[in-house]
Amino acid sequence: MNKVIGVFAHVDAGKTTLSEQLLYRAGALRTPGRVDEKTSVLDAAEVERQRGITVFSGQARFTFGESTYYLLDTPGHTDFSAEMERALRIIDFAVLVVSCAEGIQAHTETIWRMLRAAGAPVFVFLNKTDRAGADPDRVYAELRKRFSPDIVDMDAGFTPEVLTALAERDDAFLETYLDGAPDEAAAQAAARRLVCKGRLFPCLRGAALRGEGVDKLLQALDRLSETRYDINAPFGGTVYRAAHDGKGNRVVFFKALCGAVRVRDSLSGEKIQELRLYQADRYEQVPRIEAGMLCGAVGLDGVRPGAGIGPRGQSITCESTPALTFGVTAENADLYALYEALQTLENEDPALGVTRADGRLRIQCMGPVQTEILQQAIWERFGIRAEFGDCRVSYRETIAAPIIGYGHYEPLRHYAEVHLLLEPGARGSGITFDSALSTDALDQSIQRQIEQVVLEHDHRGVLTGARLTDVRVTLLYGKNHLKHTSGGDFREAVRRAVRQGLEQAECLLLEPVYDFRADLPAANLGRLMADIQKFSGTFSPPISEGERAVLTGRAPVSELMRYQSEVQAYTRGAGYISLRFGGYEPCHDADAVIGASGYARAADSENPSESIFCAHGAGFAVQWFDIHKFIPPYKQIPATLYTKEDKTI
């Protein structure tokens, strides 16, 4: 039986140490590595060993009982949440590590929420029970109160308390329980059912550095988890990571969800050259991969992390969106060389969102630690001394009302024309596409080209040049030329149609917001509430807990991004505020941001709004505001096309 498990924790909770011990106790390692001694097998990258933190999802496998486990040791630092979240989406079971010395930390809450949103079964491991000041009972009680009452202490096995918890949650076991003679086999079967359904979260205790409690965790994983994969179905997989090996080969890491795939098979239009089973930074080549396995593949150069592959592939999207952008320059390389290096990194991590405008490069990051890691990676891999500065909030743009955009691309011997309906989308929906045009009017293959450009092109708004989001795009009309239309013509027409629509539209600037949870002395609550109001934030009624208070709410990233240290200062270290990305909302100071951006929409040559027409054997540009003069009456869109289902424009 194949099982994929992921180990998750707030940074420094002992996650990698526990992962090493799992491999050691299962016989996959001769000796467990140590993070403090820089001998960790799973932190294989030099930057990870130097800094003592996990940056990439380390992968290894081991066998225990009758199962083969594929283990992912995920990053614990918030700056690498996107890498962690992609791993979280492909696991079968999670091990959440909580330090009994530090207790529930800020990122622990975020991880728990993501795990529950994904429906992942979770085993909780209370670590560092041997540390001075550790209080496992207090942490356990706090977990049940703040996370879920379904977290049940199973460190001592099937105690009367555990049996009662099983009976309360499983009807089949309840009958046996009421008869007064539940045996361990029945209890184990009930616990396994509940764990797999996400209705019971076994909690165990130990000290990973000493190996204490690790055997119990292995046994719990073996007895209380099961998976069912269909290896006879058509192949489907999910890509969760991409990297380059020491020879420069691009390796795509994916999970096989169903079916099987072999070397030389074609996926996403590319042929697999190698299939690799990884053990940290080492691997062995295999001819075939089947459902429930993690592997690396060489040959899928066009596939990015998050993509689904195969007929039954499933794509994933991450909510861990970088809220900051940084300007990037280089001391010893030209702009183009630096841009190529950044694009290579973006191909491995799409969340980086590299942009180039006005001779400047910008990159999206979660925080300063990530920029330091990137700086080191750019030097080691490309020999470029990059500098990161000019930190800004990463804004987005959208529209407030429907509008129709027109794009015409007709230089000599080229032709493409499209009409696109742009409508406001739900917040957080990104860019979506639909077609109201019959395939008799425009071939299906061309409509797919239009859809691909709409969804994959990095459309930019007209207020600050920020990325466009939360827009529904509907194809209303399109026309090609049997002789002159070539591959890239509709790409040009679609880009111009979107931009022409934005030029006419009522546009909105969106800013990222943080959801916050503050835990601080009650005496400092007034100061915190006043600050949040000053920051244009909102909050729920505070909760008093003795001499302490808890406040939750939302506020703009631009106001809270440096506020954590301020809370530490005015509470003298007795309070903290945890932040997590909470999506985008209309900007609270839009006019000031737009003015400060200095964006000149007419000068943005990479995002043209004009259309190209042809006359007398030569192409000429028509500005967006004059387009209506060049659309002959016979090309006007039929009125019926402006009505689709219950939407009338």
Side-chain angles (χ1 to χ4, degrees):
M1 184 184 296
N2 294 326
K3 300 177 182 178
V4 178
I5 61 173
V7 186
F8 303 87
H10 185 99
V11 65
D12 292 333
K15 169 184 50 60
T16 299
T17 301
L18 177 62
S19 299
E20 298 270 338
Q21 285 284 352
L22 286 171
L23 293 172
Y24 170 65
R25 296 282 173 161
L29 290 180
R30 291 184 178 180
T31 57
R34 292 183 54 147
V35 174
D36 56 345
E37 295 177 355
K38 302 181 181 180
T39 58
S40 171
V41 174
L42 290 167
D43 285 344
E46 183 62 27
V47 67
E48 294 179 305
R49 291 182 175 175
Q50 288 179 4
R51 290 179 171 266
I53 62 172
T54 300
V55 176
F56 310 106
S57 295
Q59 179 177 322
R61 67 187 190 281
F62 63 89
T63 58
F64 189 83
E66 298 181 358
S67 299
T68 299
Y69 292 84
Y70 294 83
L71 182 146
L72 285 171
D73 175 33
T74 66
H77 197 287
T78 55
D79 279 15
F80 307 101
S81 294
E83 176 89 4
M84 177 273 293
E85 190 178 352
R86 285 192 294 269
L88 181 150
R89 299 301 181 92
I90 56 98
I91 60 169
D92 297 317
F93 299 90
V95 177
L96 178 63
V97 184
V98 182
S99 169
C100 291
E102 289 82 10
I104 299 176
Q105 296 167 284
H107 196 44
T108 314
E109 295 188 74
T110 301
I111 295 170
W112 175 261
R113 180 182 53 80
M114 288 183 175
L115 287 169
R116 300 313 308 131
V122 181
F123 292 77
V124 179
F125 187 78
L126 302 184
N127 193 26
K128 301 185 181 180
T129 55
D130 59 333
R131 287 273 297 273
D135 191 344
D137 292 334
R138 178 187 60 80
V139 175
Y140 172 65
E142 192 175 358
L143 283 168
R144 285 175 56 85
K145 179 181 178 181
R146 288 172 56 179
F147 287 4
S148 172
D150 294 326
I151 297 174
V152 176
D153 187 351
M154 298 187 67
D155 195 66
F158 292 101
T159 62
E161 291 78 10
V162 172
L163 295 178
T164 300
L166 296 178
E168 292 172 345
R169 293 164 174 80
D170 187 271
D171 291 340
F173 182 73
L174 177 61
E175 295 183 15
T176 305
Y177 179 79
L178 292 176
D179 289 340
D183 59 18
E184 185 168 330
Q188 182 173 299
R192 183 166 55 245
R193 288 192 298 270
L194 292 168
V195 168
C196 292
K197 292 178 182 178
R199 296 177 57 197
L200 180 76
F201 309 109
C203 183
L204 301 103
R205 308 179 181 195
L209 190 59
R210 296 182 178 183
E212 296 175 6
V214 179
D215 288 334
K216 285 184 181 180
L217 177 59
L218 275 171
Q219 291 165 5
L221 287 168
D222 185 54
R223 296 172 182 174
L224 304 182
S225 68
E226 64 179 358
T227 57
R228 296 175 183 176
Y229 288 104
D230 186 357
I231 64 172
N232 297 314
F235 176 75
T238 298
V239 176
Y240 62 91
R241 188 185 167 209
H244 286 77
D245 64 15
K247 297 180 180 179
N249 298 310
R250 186 172 187 267
V251 183
V252 168
F253 294 87
F254 67 86
K255 178 186 180 181
L257 304 173
C258 55
V261 68
R262 295 179 178 274
V263 174
R264 312 305 295 172
D265 284 353
S266 291
L267 293 175
S268 302
E270 298 179 288
K271 188 170 289 187
I272 297 175
Q273 299 173 10
E274 292 181 24
L275 288 171
R276 302 173 174 180
L277 291 181
Y278 272 83
Q279 194 75 351
D281 58 343
R282 299 181 179 181
Y283 66 86
E284 62 174 292
Q285 294 187 28
V286 293
R288 179 178 179 273
I289 294 294
E290 65 180 37
M293 300 174 68
L294 300 184
C295 81
V298 177
L300 305 179
D301 292 341
V303 180
R304 297 184 121 196
I309 51 176
R312 294 197 179 178
Q314 297 179 12
S315 61
I316 53 177
T317 56
C318 293
E319 66 173 64
S320 300
T321 303
L324 305 175
T325 68
F326 293 81
V328 192
T329 58
E331 297 178 1
N332 63 336
D334 59 28
L335 183 71
Y336 184 74
L338 178 59
Y339 185 51
E340 280 196 322
L342 294 177
Q343 282 190 310
T344 299
L345 295 174
E346 184 185 20
N347 201 22
E348 298 173 0
D349 183 1
L352 293 178
V354 179
T355 59
R356 180 178 63 179
D358 301 327
R360 293 176 292 180
L361 294 176
R362 299 197 68 81
I363 191 169
Q364 295 183 167
C365 292
M366 299 291 289
V369 174
Q370 187 180 14
T371 64
E372 293 171 9
I373 297 294
L374 287 170
Q375 187 177 41
Q376 186 171 342
I378 293 169
W379 168 245
E380 291 175 352
R381 292 177 57 178
F382 309 104
I384 297 175
R385 295 193 180 279
E387 294 291 335
F388 289 78
D390 187 21
C391 175
R392 302 178 187 173
V393 170
S394 181
Y395 293 94
R396 295 286 188 271
E397 294 185 31
T398 190
I399 58 175
I403 198 71
I404 292 176
Y406 176 78
H408 190 101
Y409 187 68
E410 191 187 0
L412 188 62
R413 298 187 180 89
H414 293 269
Y415 189 93
E417 178 183 351
V418 291
H419 295 250
L420 300 176
L421 170 63
L422 310 182
E423 300 174 279
R427 197 67 70 232
S429 62
I431 306 293
T432 59
F433 176 83
D434 196 5
S435 175
L437 189 61
S438 166
T439 54
D440 293 333
L442 191 65
D443 188 76
Q444 183 66 47
S445 63
I446 295 179
Q447 293 198 34
R448 287 200 186 99
Q449 291 178 33
I450 294 172
E451 178 180 10
Q452 184 177 15
V453 177
V454 168
L455 297 180
E456 296 183 4
H457 182 69
D458 185 17
H459 303 283
R460 295 281 158 172
V462 296
L463 300 177
T464 64
R467 182 170 294 171
L468 186 68
T469 190
D470 300 345
V471 175
R472 295 195 302 268
V473 180
T474 303
L475 174 63
L476 299 179
Y477 179 81
K479 187 176 181 181
N480 66 322
H481 192 285
L482 293 177
K483 182 178 179 181
H484 295 311
T485 299
S486 58
D489 292 353
F490 273 97
R491 174 180 176 81
E492 289 293 333
V494 169
R495 291 174 56 212
R496 295 164 193 271
V498 171
R499 186 73 171 188
Q500 199 266 347
L502 294 178
E503 290 283 8
Q504 309 171 69
E506 179 186 350
C507 296
L508 288 177
L509 185 67
L510 303 177
E511 67 178 346
V513 297
Y514 279 140
D515 290 327
F516 70 84
R517 182 183 189 276
D519 186 324
L520 74 175
N524 299 122
L525 179 61
R527 161 72 184 273
L528 174 63
M529 296 171 68
D531 285 349
I532 297 302
Q533 289 178 326
K534 182 178 66 176
F535 296 158
S536 300
T538 60
F539 50 81
S540 301
I543 300 173
S544 297
E545 299 178 346
E547 295 182 355
R548 299 188 67 81
V550 174
L551 188 72
T552 59
R554 308 165 56 83
V557 167
S558 60
E559 305 291 348
L560 286 184
M561 57 191 292
R562 298 179 181 88
Y563 190 61
Q564 286 173 305
S565 58
E566 192 171 337
V567 172
Q568 288 278 312
Y570 70 69
T571 63
R572 300 191 179 186
Y576 71 88
I577 181 169
S578 62
L579 309 174
R580 66 177 175 85
F581 178 71
Y584 279 83
E585 293 183 352
C587 185
H588 75 288
D589 57 347
D591 291 341
V593 173
I594 293 170
S597 73
Y599 179 65
R601 60 173 75 174
D604 189 349
S605 59
E606 295 187 7
N607 295 282
S609 59
E610 70 271 10
S611 282
I612 306 299
F613 289 82
C614 187
H616 309 296
F620 63 96
V622 176
Q623 297 302 314
W624 67 269
F625 48 81
D626 281 334
I627 289 294
H628 64 281
K629 300 177 183 178
F630 289 83
I631 307 177
Y634 68 86
K635 286 188 178 180
Q636 298 291 349
I637 305 172
T640 55
L641 284 181
Y642 284 85
T643 302
K644 186 172 186 292
E645 298 176 357
D646 61 339
K647 298 180 296 186
T648 302
I649 306 304

